[in-house]
Amino acid sequence: MKARQAVISFSQSEKVKSGLIWASQCVHILQNLPEQDKKGALEILKSLVAMISNEVQLARQASGDGVWLEVDKCLNNARIMIDSGVAAEAEYHFTQGLTQVNRIGQKSMTYLIENGLLT
């Protein structure tokens, strides 16, 4: 890992982590909405997942770290659950993605600290 890659991965991991937490919370909110509001909420959730996916793609391309592909797979699986009408099941995939993102962030932060770039 190089310093540039570590900085990008660390920065993007924090951004993606926030998005995944928000998406998980949206799934919880969605479950408690009246039926007439669920269609609009699903569209918002789909948009949020698309935005998170874009950030993951950016992280992968900018950092060159292939581990971001694992996060992308988790998001794709979550998107499938949402599109299949079982949005509640997407939370599992968000959690799996969050685990991967935490690993990326931890690895990057460790590198930055060991090289004196982060204190």
Side-chain angles (χ1 to χ4, degrees), residues 60-72:
R60 185 178 56 76
Q61 290 173 353
S63 71
D65 192 344
V67 74
W68 286 102
L69 287 172
E70 293 302 315
V71 181
D72 198 37

Side-chain angles (χ1 to χ4, degrees), residues 43-97:
E43 292 303 315
I44 291 171
L45 180 58
K46 288 178 185 179
S47 296
L48 178 59
V49 172
M51 288 188 289
I52 297 166
S53 184
N54 287 340
E55 292 299 326
V56 169
Q57 293 296 326
L58 174 65
R60 185 178 56 76
Q61 290 173 353
S63 71
D65 192 344
V67 74
W68 286 102
L69 287 172
E70 293 302 315
V71 181
D72 198 37
K73 288 178 189 176
C74 294
L75 285 169
N76 285 334
N77 288 335
R79 189 176 296 126
I80 290 167
M81 296 296 111
I82 294 165
D83 290 343
S84 298
V86 286
E89 301 300 320
E91 186 175 8
Y92 170 80
H93 299 288
F94 293 143
T95 302
Q96 293 299 108

Side-chain angles (χ1 to χ4, degrees), residues 1 6 65 67 102-112:
M1 180 177 286
D65 192 344
V67 74
N102 280 331
R103 287 183 187 140
I104 293 166
Q106 183 64 42
K107 183 174 95 173
S108 301
M109 184 174 62
T110 300
Y111 176 89
L112 293 170

Side-chain angles (χ1 to χ4, degrees), residues 28-42:
H28 285 284
I29 292 168
L30 178 66
Q31 293 172 355
N32 297 316
L33 288 175
E35 268 321 298
Q36 69 268 19
D37 295 338
K38 285 187 178 182
K39 184 177 179 184
L42 275 171

